[in-house]
Amino acid sequence: IIISTSNQLSIMDKFIKVQMLGSDPEFLIKNQKSNKYISSIGIIPGTKEEPHKIEELGKGYAIEIDNVLGEFNIPPASTKEEFVANMNKMKLFIDKWLKSKDENLVAVHLASARYDEDQLQSEEAKLFGCDPDFCAWTRSQNEKPKAKDTRLRSTGCHIHVSFEDKDIDKCEVLVKAMDLFLGVPSILMDKDKDRRQLYGKAGCFRIQQYGVEYRTLSGFFLGSDELIGWMFDNTMAAIEWINSDLSSARIALEENREEIISAINNGDEEKASSLVQKFGIKLV
């Protein structure tokens, strides 16, 4: 597979005419002194319904609580450099915000963690999956998550892809291709096994006004510039793969359907490695 090295998103006469990429990553909060994960409630301002806008950073930057996690929003980006920079602006803001509350508090970028019961007593802390999401492979709504371990919480790093002439067919093909180019290789990079008890299954997405929200990756991918850039690059690789030969992409996705789903849902590193080699997919 030959993928363009250009970092610039462009609108071409293609099946997926991409405009911009955005994200709404979640993060854990930890007290370094006590070595405990801490609820975001009472520390992070804003809610899903009314995010706290970060006016000093500019339009599109906001922060809010999500269960006991922190979550933030960035404005959409048209280049890899802008995407990484937008993420880092919010990461730096969050670091300063947490230190202003308690010098021992830090943001942690992992897929999941277990909280002590004293951090899980509020109604918000007990609320899971209020808005439904869907599976591109089964064309069905995903069940609300139910953790066997009630102390387990997990993070997401959702990728928002805006594109022209949105329809369900474009959304489904794009999500399946993102499973191949992002979900599958993520198994070889993010070794966490617990998150998939709750979230991050193959084909997980929401249709949005701007296009599609891909929901399979975890907050692990917020951990470094290299990982953030990888998300941008591999999203673009998936799109260019579709646009270069739509018919062949559809066939390949169907032929490798079971391997893709199994690799992601079961954390099957052997199948993931085989698919990565077969399709020449970039890893970090």
Side-chain angles (χ1 to χ4, degrees), residues 52-95:
H52 178 76
K53 297 179 181 179
I54 314 300
E55 303 287 356
E56 62 263 40
L57 296 185
K59 185 177 179 181
Y61 294 97
I63 193 169
E64 62 268 1
I65 61 171
D66 184 351
N67 196 277
V68 294
L69 308 175
E71 179 177 336
F72 67 82
N73 314 117
I74 61 169
S78 59
T79 67
K80 175 180 175 179
E81 290 77 14
E82 186 181 9
F83 187 69
V84 174
N86 290 352
M87 291 286 209
N88 282 333
K89 279 185 182 181
M90 279 304 303
K91 287 174 66 176
L92 181 60
F93 173 86
I94 289 161
D95 287 342

Side-chain angles (χ1 to χ4, degrees), residues 182-214:
L182 293 115
V184 167
S186 77
I187 300 303
L188 302 174
M189 298 155 61
D190 178 3
K191 301 293 187 177
D192 183 277
K193 303 291 186 183
D194 292 330
R195 178 175 177 260
R196 278 182 292 278
Q197 296 179 36
L198 301 171
Y199 295 104
K201 296 294 180 64
C204 188
F205 79 107
R206 287 182 184 147
I207 295 177
Q208 302 287 10
Q209 184 177 2
Y210 53 78
V212 74
E213 176 186 359
Y214 180 68

Side-chain angles (χ1 to χ4, degrees), residues 103-262:
E103 64 178 12
N104 295 306
L105 296 182
V106 293
V108 177
H109 306 300
L110 296 173
S112 70
R114 285 171 173 79
Y115 287 72
D116 290 348
E117 290 293 343
D118 65 344
Q119 301 298 311
L120 303 172
Q121 298 308 306
S122 69
E123 289 303 313
E124 175 69 25
K126 298 173 184 177
L127 182 63
F128 284 88
C130 52
D131 295 324
D133 54 25
F134 300 86
C135 177
W137 298 99
T138 63
R139 293 189 169 187
S140 62
Q141 182 174 319
N142 292 321
E143 294 183 5
K144 284 190 175 183
K146 296 178 182 178
K148 294 178 181 179
D149 184 346
T150 59
R151 300 186 305 117
L152 178 65
R153 296 295 185 273
S154 67
T155 64
C157 192
H158 308 147
I159 301 174
H160 303 186
V161 186
S162 66
F163 54 91
E164 291 188 342
D165 305 320
K166 177 194 69 182
D167 61 36
I168 187 62
D169 182 43
K170 287 186 176 71
C171 290
E172 287 183 351
V173 172
L174 176 55
V175 170
K176 290 175 182 178
M178 290 179 74
D179 262 357
L180 177 58
F181 280 80
L182 293 115
V184 167
S186 77
I187 300 303
L188 302 174
M189 298 155 61
D190 178 3
K191 301 293 187 177
D192 183 277
K193 303 291 186 183
D194 292 330
R195 178 175 177 260
R196 278 182 292 278
Q197 296 179 36
L198 301 171
Y199 295 104
K201 296 294 180 64
C204 188
F205 79 107
R206 287 182 184 147
I207 295 177
Q208 302 287 10
Q209 184 177 2
Y210 53 78
V212 74
E213 176 186 359
Y214 180 68
R215 295 173 57 81
T216 297
L217 298 185
S218 80
F220 167 85
F221 290 92
L222 193 64
S224 70
D225 287 4
E226 193 173 19
L227 289 170
I228 296 169
W230 176 87
M231 288 191 289
F232 188 100
D233 285 343
N234 280 38
T235 299
M236 284 300 296
I239 292 164
E240 291 188 26
W241 181 67
I242 294 169
N243 286 339
S244 65
D245 191 336
L246 176 61
S247 177
S248 294
R250 288 188 191 274
I251 292 170
L253 289 169
E254 188 57 34
E255 288 180 345
N256 294 276
R257 172 191 179 103
E258 296 307 319
E259 286 76 12
I260 293 169
I261 294 172
S262 178

Side-chain angles (χ1 to χ4, degrees), residues 10-18 164 239-240 243:
S10 60
I11 300 175
M12 303 174 289
D13 186 22
K14 298 291 186 180
F15 183 67
I16 304 289
K17 302 176 184 178
V18 181
E164 291 188 342
I239 292 164
E240 291 188 26
N243 286 339

